[in-house]
Each structure stands twice: as structure tokens, then as C-alpha cells.
């Protein structure tokens, strides 16, 4: 990127890592066959697209096509039982495809794209019961969560909440930070819900600083509906994430300081380090 200012560099970064819909045509083409197979073996109540691609916060090269599949029947005691049944059903249908379990999803690595299937059940009182990445079940309200992010996003000119969420996710993927993408998106929206304006380089630093101050603490569902959002799958991965977060805060602070001093070359240099570019 040959950007003249740090602000322009961040805009170019956003553009570069924003996926086009056509880039996932291959992965999405498997939807019908996946739904048909699961309906035949397990019974499907409903299947619909969720996740960052659907919601406009996906990251090029990293985000997958994600679907929530609501199964018929009785919810088992362990979500691993459900995940294993879904994996086995799909593996029997797509024999040459690598299929793995990565809670809360079953991941299908097709040759033309990756598809993540999040199986679950309709919950009493609303929402859906899906596997919690840290174990057990959790209640999820993906449509309401998307609505919350959209409301905050519309508050700022140019869609600040989704841009900030994408910047945090780019950092996560480019620096291999073991933190939940959903957690970062909800934290970005919550952070900007209390800000009067969105300034990319300023809010990037202070959002990272906020995550550092709270030590990636779990987050109450801001809609007041679902389970708490956890940041990491285990204490060991959280330790790794916090270490990388410390480095990110230092680099974003230097970038902001250089930006405010109109030393854009140095600011961009720090942003390149932050995003591993």
C-alpha cells in the first residue's frame, strides 16, 4: 500500500480485506446438499446463513461461509453428541472432504471453499441452543445480535462499528491471536455505542486498550437475551491472546502518536507492524 496518511492506509487495509460475495460462491454452492443430507439423517427444522460474511464484517482469506442448522428431535445432554452426529452424517456423504469439529461448528473443507455448520436446537423462550466453545450449551440470538451491531453501525457515518470490528478481526487473523471473532465484533459495537464519533486510528487504539484493561473478560450479551460472550477457548489461549494484545496496544499507541504529530510515514510503519503487513 502506498498510502500518504495513516487514515488512508487503514482505509486501503479495509478495502483489501473486504471479501466480495463471488469469492464464496463455491462454498455456498454446497448448502443444498448439506441441508438435504442432514435432513435425511437427523431431521432439519431450519437452516440459514449467519456469521461475518452475511453480516458484512467478514475478512478476506479467513472468513468462511457459516450456517446455523436447527435440528429436529430432542437436545442431547452433551453438545459433543450432536456435533459428532452431524460430522458423521456429512462425512458419509462427502467422503473425500476433510470434516472436523471446531466448537460450536462442524467444518467442511471443500476444495472450492470452507463451510462451517453450527448445529443447534430451538430454545424454549426464544433463541437457539448451540455448543459453547468452552464446553456445555449456550443460548444464542444471532438475528438480535446482528440487529444490535447494525443499530450501532448506523449511528456513525460510514459504518464505524463494522469497520472497527473488521480491523480487530484483521489483527486477530494476521497475528494469529486466539480470540473469538464474535467476541471482537460485539466488543467493537459496544465500545462505539458510547462514542459520539468514529475516527479509525483513534478508536482502533482505544478499543485495543479497552480490551487490554478488561483483560479480555467475558461480556454480557448487550441485547440482554443470550449467554455471555467468552473471549477465548481456554486459559492457555487467553494468556497467549493477552500477550499479543499487549504488543498490539503498544504499536497502535505509537501509530496514533505519530499520526497526531503528522509523521505519517512512522505512523504507517507502526500500523504495518500491528497488522503484519
Amino acid at each position: 500500500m502506498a498510502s500518504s496518511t495513516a487514515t488512508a492506509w487503514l482505509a486501503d487495509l479495509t478495502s483489501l480485506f473486504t471479501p466480495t460475495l463471488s469469492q464464496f460462491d463455491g462454498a455456498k454452492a454446497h448448502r443444498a446438499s448439506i441441508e438435504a443430507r442432514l435432513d435425511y439423517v437427523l431431521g432439519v427444522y431450519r437452516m440459514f446463513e449467519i456469521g461475518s460474511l452475511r453480516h458484512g464484517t467478514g475478512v478476506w482469506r479467513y472468513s468462511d461461509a457459516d450456517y446455523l442448522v436447527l435440528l429436529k428431535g430432542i437436545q442431547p445432554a452433551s453438545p459433543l453428541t450432536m456435533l459428532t452426529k452431524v460430522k458423521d452424517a456429512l462425512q458419509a456423504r462427502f467422503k473425500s472432504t476433510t470434516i472436523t469439529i471446531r466448537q460450536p461448528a462442524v467444518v467442511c473443507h471443500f476444495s472450492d471453499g470452507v463451510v462451517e455448520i453450527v448445529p443447534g436446537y430451538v430454545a424454549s423462550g426464544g433463541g437457539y441452543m448451540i455448543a459453547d466453545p468452552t464446553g456445555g450449551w449456550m443460548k444464542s440470538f444471532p438475528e438480535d445480535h446482528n440487529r444490535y451491531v447494525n443499530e450501532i453501525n448506523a449511528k456513525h457515518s460510514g459504518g464505524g462499528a463494522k469497520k472497527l470490528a473488521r480491523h480487530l478481526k484483521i489483527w486477530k487473523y494476521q497475528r494469529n491471536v486466539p480470540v473469538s471473532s464474535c467476541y471482537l465484533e460485539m466488543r467493537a459495537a459496544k465500545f462505539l455505542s458510547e462514542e459520539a464519533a468514529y475516527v479509525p486510528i483513534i478508536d482502533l487504539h482505544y478499543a485495543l486498550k479497552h480490551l487490554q484493561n478488561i483483560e479480555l473478560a467475558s461480556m454480557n450479551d448487550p441485547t440482554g437475551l443470550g449467554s455471555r460472550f467468552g473471549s477465548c477457548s481456554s486459559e492457555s489461549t487467553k494468556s497467549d491472546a493477552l500477550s499479543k494484545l499487549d504488543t498490539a496496544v503498544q504499536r497502535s499507541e505509537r501509530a496514533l502518536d505519530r499520526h497526531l504529530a503528522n509523521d505519517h510515514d512512522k505512523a504507517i510503519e507502526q500500523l504495518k507492524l500491528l497488522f503484519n503487513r
Side-chain angles (χ1 to χ4, degrees), residues 1-10 201 251 254-274 277:
M1 300 178 187
S3 308
S4 58
T5 67
T7 300
W9 192 91
L10 278 174
I201 193 166
R251 288 168 173 167
R254 292 177 193 140
L256 177 57
D257 288 345
R258 293 298 86 211
H259 167 76
L260 295 175
N262 290 317
D263 188 348
H264 295 295
D265 288 343
K266 292 293 185 181
I268 291 171
E269 181 179 292
Q270 290 301 316
L271 289 175
K272 287 181 176 179
L273 289 171
L274 173 64
R277 296 293 299 164

Side-chain angles (χ1 to χ4, degrees), residues 94-116:
F94 307 104
K95 298 183 184 299
S96 61
T97 299
T98 299
I99 300 178
T100 59
I101 293 175
R102 187 171 66 210
Q103 291 196 124
V106 174
V107 186
C108 303
H109 301 267
F110 295 107
S111 60
D112 53 356
V114 177
V115 180
E116 292 200 17

Side-chain angles (χ1 to χ4, degrees), residues 16-144:
L16 175 64
F17 281 94
T18 300
T20 63
L21 293 177
S22 62
Q23 289 171 339
F24 299 90
D25 285 348
K28 291 181 178 181
H30 296 283
R31 172 179 175 166
S33 56
I34 289 173
E35 183 173 9
R37 177 61 181 177
L38 292 179
D39 190 36
Y40 175 74
V41 177
L42 301 173
V44 171
Y45 172 72
R46 183 186 174 200
M47 177 173 174
F48 58 98
E49 189 175 1
I50 58 171
S52 58
L53 290 180
R54 173 75 174 178
H55 192 42
T57 58
V59 177
W60 173 65
R61 291 194 305 151
Y62 295 107
S63 297
D64 306 322
D66 301 301
Y67 295 94
L68 179 62
V69 180
L70 300 174
L71 301 174
K72 296 178 180 179
I74 299 174
Q75 178 183 322
S78 169
L80 185 57
T81 300
M82 170 192 66
L83 291 167
T84 302
K85 287 182 177 180
V86 169
K87 176 185 180 298
D88 291 346
L90 293 176
Q91 193 68 79
R93 168 63 176 80
F94 307 104
K95 298 183 184 299
S96 61
T97 299
T98 299
I99 300 178
T100 59
I101 293 175
R102 187 171 66 210
Q103 291 196 124
V106 174
V107 186
C108 303
H109 301 267
F110 295 107
S111 60
D112 53 356
V114 177
V115 180
E116 292 200 17
I117 302 299
V118 178
Y121 295 86
V122 177
S124 60
Y128 315 110
M129 298 304 296
I130 65 173
D132 188 325
T134 62
W137 293 95
M138 64 181 290
K139 183 176 279 193
S140 179
F141 292 79
E143 296 104 332
D144 295 278

Side-chain angles (χ1 to χ4, degrees), residues 193-258:
S193 71
E194 301 170 3
E195 297 296 316
Y198 170 63
V199 182
I201 193 166
I202 294 176
D203 288 310
L204 173 62
H205 168 64
Y206 283 106
L208 288 168
K209 183 66 176 177
H210 175 66
L211 292 175
Q212 181 189 50
N213 288 340
I214 64 173
E215 298 182 329
L216 294 175
S218 295
M219 166 186 191
N220 289 331
D221 184 344
T223 68
L225 295 171
S227 304
R228 284 165 62 83
F229 292 94
S231 59
C232 303
S233 60
S234 67
E235 285 303 313
S236 61
T237 56
K238 186 174 183 179
S239 178
D240 182 24
L242 285 170
S243 176
K244 291 174 178 177
L245 178 59
D246 289 343
T247 302
V249 169
Q250 293 173 6
R251 288 168 173 167
S252 65
E253 183 173 28
R254 292 177 193 140
L256 177 57
D257 288 345
R258 293 298 86 211

